[in-house]
């Protein structure tokens, strides 16, 4: 079973259009469920693509341009209407707390659950979230306002039981499995020690997903995202408008592909397309000139690893 | 040609869903163009139903519940991206200015055009907008927060030229038409006075549209909206949940119909339906038991008078 699934909820830049939704993603990783960025209309896209509202306990906001956070207040408000009680953690730049609290106050929409704000200010990569299954580090980006990408990493997993080998030792009981998966050897009644490696198989390699939007070409993120299985990198422009990319601190498809190649990632997802391009296949074509495994973001697209 | 056209952009209560958009309307009256309420996703609905962004100079917000204003900041921001230069007037409760300015500030989305806030605090009906063609008065409503409906009225129109009669007086020239339409008599060269009534036809009766959402049943709005050609009145519930209507300060379809009947309006549009009702036709059926001309709001529906 796949332990990492990314669902694109929206992947276009600037203003929402009928068939172009601003940035938002739903990430399932090692049975944890996260929303990344929250452009206007995110909650509608979540409903459209059957994202369970009650599964979300953490929301990560890259930066405070409207196309990445104007949908946050509506989502928070809807959590309230749905009688949410458990806390909601919001990670994002300083300012998010003030702006959401003011909106809740003027609309007298006091919600019953706690909102715990983790306001980010560091310009260095830092660990901002950790539980028993996953870590999240920031990826400092270079945009017109303070911006972070996020690296979501599965923790090292337990080794898997090897059923064939275990059957050879009838005295090993089900209640021992937990210790064996955690790496312990087994001592039999006759005193014999059975080494853990004999009873278990390699753990699945932990997966990692790097989200990088919005940013100018920034090669110094490469050490942070090195070897990630999946990289979403913004590609607002093609090389034909690299002047505009530089001016607005965005990337071209070519630049995104360079990052993917240098970082040795498994797969590259491009998004944040400018509406000036009618044929989005050109983003793929341009990136594929230097990196093989490229796919285009598209609302509703699921990418499972 | 119709001088009043209402386009429903969204008409459901509470949270946006895939096919249920929160309150927003586009009104064309006497060649003026207004947006009324601005739930999340309004700008996308405007694009979907081909509302010209550059025509909008006034936005009216009834109250500060999220389903009536969370889409405002995105629309303002998009006006900025579209390089709007002319001023935008926003009419609504106190608080709107603080909340939109803070959002623009944290997102560093300073717009080039002036936003002129007309913050409302009066509990009595007042004239809040007037130009050469239209007036807008508030309709104080009774909801959980400070709320106004809006009465949009065409001004008395000029009488129309009667071409047949004018042809009988060859010495009347095109340049005289302006004065004749404005009601003046004409003096011929022989001194004869031709009375205006002889040269003109009755002016078209000025039309009026009353928007009333959200509100508990409030009969004291009747004198304000008396004789309006079109009334939009919220009907969040049916009579089966009048308890909930009273508790949440909303109306039933029956109550909306009572207001329509007592005010002698031409046509009643119902909207703001709660998602608990799967069959919205029931709202029409209930209202029609006491008022004849009822239609249901629906995203994309145009009502021309």
């Amino acid at each position: 079973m796949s332990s990492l699934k990314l669902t694109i909820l929206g992947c276009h830049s600037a203003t929402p259009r009928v068939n172009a939704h601003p940035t938002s993603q739903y990430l399932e990783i090692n049975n944890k469920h996260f929303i990344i960025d929250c452009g206007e209309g995110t909650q509608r896209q979540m409903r459209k693509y059957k994202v369970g509202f009650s599964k979300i306990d953490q929301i990560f906001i890259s930066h405070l341009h409207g196309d990445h956070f104007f949908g946050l207040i509506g989502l928070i408000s809807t959590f309230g209407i749905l009688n949410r009680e458990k806390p909601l953690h919001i990670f994002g730049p300083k300012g998010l707390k003030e702006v959401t609290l003011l909106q809740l106050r003027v609309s007298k929409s006091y919600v019953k659950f706690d909102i715990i704000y983790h306001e980010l200010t560091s310009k260095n990569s830092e660990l901002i979230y950790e539980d028993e299954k996953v870590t999240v580090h920031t990826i400092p980006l270079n945009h017109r306002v303070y911006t972070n990408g996020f690296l979501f990493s599965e923790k090292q997993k337990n080794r898997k039981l090897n059923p064939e080998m275990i059957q050879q030792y009838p005295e090993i009981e089900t209640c021992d499995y937990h210790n064996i998966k955690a790496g312990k050897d087994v001592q039999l009644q006759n005193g014999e020690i059975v080494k853990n490696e004999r009873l278990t198989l390699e753990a699945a390699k932990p997966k990692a997903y790097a989200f990088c939007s919005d940013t100018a070409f920034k090669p110094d993120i490469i050490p942070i995202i090195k070897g990630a299985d999946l990289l979403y990198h913004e590609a607002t422009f093609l090389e034909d408008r690299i002047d505009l990319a530089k001016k607005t601190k965005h990337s071209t498809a070519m630049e995104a592909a360079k990052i993917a190649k240098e970082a040795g990632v498994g797969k590259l997802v491009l998004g944040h397309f400018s509406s000036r391009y009618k044929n989005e296949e050109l983003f793929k074509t341009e990136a594929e000139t230097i990196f093989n495994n490229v796919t285009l973001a598209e609302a509703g697209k699921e990418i499972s690893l």
Side-chain angles (χ1 to χ4, degrees), chain A:
Chain A
M1 203 191 70
S2 151
S3 65
L4 190 156
K5 186 167 92 172
L6 179 70
T7 304
I8 306 294
L9 301 174
C11 59
H12 285 83
S13 67
T15 78
R17 296 178 301 281
V18 179
N19 293 310
H21 303 274
T23 303
S24 185
Q25 304 187 349
Y26 170 55
L27 177 67
E28 296 167 77
I29 179 168
N30 220 353
N31 289 315
K32 294 285 169 176
H33 308 82
F34 303 123
I35 291 289
I36 309 165
D37 279 356
C38 222
E40 184 176 352
T42 293
Q43 58 172 322
R44 181 176 175 274
Q45 294 296 91
M46 288 172 67
R47 288 189 192 268
K48 186 166 179 181
Y49 300 114
K50 316 282 187 219
V51 176
F53 281 52
S54 63
K55 285 184 177 171
I56 306 302
D57 294 329
Q58 286 83 23
I59 297 175
F60 296 85
I61 303 291
S62 64
H63 66 299
L64 298 186
H65 279 158
D67 54 336
H68 295 255
F69 88 103
F70 280 166
L72 179 61
I73 183 62
L75 182 55
I76 291 173
S77 175
T78 291
F79 281 142
I81 291 171
L82 297 175
N83 290 316
R84 182 190 180 99
E85 290 185 350
K86 58 181 178 169
L88 177 70
H89 292 261
I90 300 176
F91 300 79
K94 194 166 161 49
L96 260 184
K97 178 175 178 175
E98 187 186 2
V99 77
T100 52
L101 288 186
L102 176 62
Q103 286 177 96
L104 289 172
R105 182 166 63 74
V106 302
S107 64
K108 293 198 169 57
S109 306
Y110 300 106
V111 295
K112 279 182 234 155
F113 56 94
D114 288 331
I115 305 177
I116 297 145
Y117 295 89
H118 304 264
E119 292 197 317
L120 307 175
T121 52
S122 174
K123 292 188 172 175
N124 299 314
S125 177
E126 55 179 353
L127 175 70
I128 55 170
Y129 174 80
E130 179 170 20
D131 62 27
E132 71 289 3
K133 294 182 166 179
V134 174
T135 60
V136 184
H137 290 80
T138 54
I139 307 169
L141 299 176
N142 176 18
H143 194 40
R144 303 192 303 279
V145 294
Y146 175 71
T147 304
N148 288 294
F150 302 103
L151 178 70
F152 300 86
S153 310
E154 289 182 328
K155 285 192 170 174
Q156 182 64 46
K157 296 178 176 181
N158 283 336
R159 292 177 67 86
K160 288 180 285 193
L161 295 179
N162 183 340
E164 279 180 31
M165 294 306 294
I166 287 192
Q167 277 172 6
Q168 295 182 13
Y169 301 92
E171 68 184 88
I172 295 180
E173 301 197 37
T174 317
C175 58
D176 298 320
Y177 290 179
H178 181 75
N179 282 337
I180 297 171
K181 282 195 273 189
K184 292 193 180 158
D185 300 336
V186 172
Q187 181 163 25
L188 301 179
Q189 280 164 359
N190 64 9
E192 183 192 342
I193 303 280
V194 186
K195 294 299 259 181
N196 187 273
E197 294 74 44
R198 189 168 166 81
L199 298 171
T200 57
L201 300 166
E202 277 294 306
K205 183 177 166 291
K207 297 196 178 99
Y209 168 56
F211 169 88
C212 297
S213 187
D214 296 359
T215 189
F217 181 58
K218 188 165 188 274
D220 61 8
I221 66 173
I222 290 167
I224 305 170
I225 66 172
K226 197 90 188 170
D229 302 271
L230 185 63
L231 166 65
Y232 170 89
H233 196 290
E234 74 125 293
T236 308
F237 299 103
L238 296 173
E239 283 287 300
D240 67 335
R241 293 315 307 268
I242 194 166
D243 58 322
L244 217 44
K246 282 187 198 298
K247 186 177 159 199
T248 59
K249 296 203 173 180
H250 283 296
S251 298
T252 67
M254 180 74 85
E255 290 172 329
K258 281 180 190 164
I259 298 286
K261 185 180 181 187
E262 290 299 313
V265 304
K267 188 184 189 81
L268 171 64
V269 190
L270 297 176
H272 206 261
F273 313 120
S274 160
S275 63
R276 73 175 54 232
Y277 299 103
K278 302 307 165 209
N279 179 5
E280 290 172 3
E281 281 298 316
L282 296 174
F283 286 87
K284 190 165 188 280
T285 310
E286 182 173 295
E288 281 177 342
T289 59
I290 56 168
F291 187 78
N292 264 336
N293 197 353
V294 180
T295 190
L296 298 180
E298 184 187 332
K301 184 180 265 192
E302 294 181 353
I303 299 163
S304 295
L305 298 182

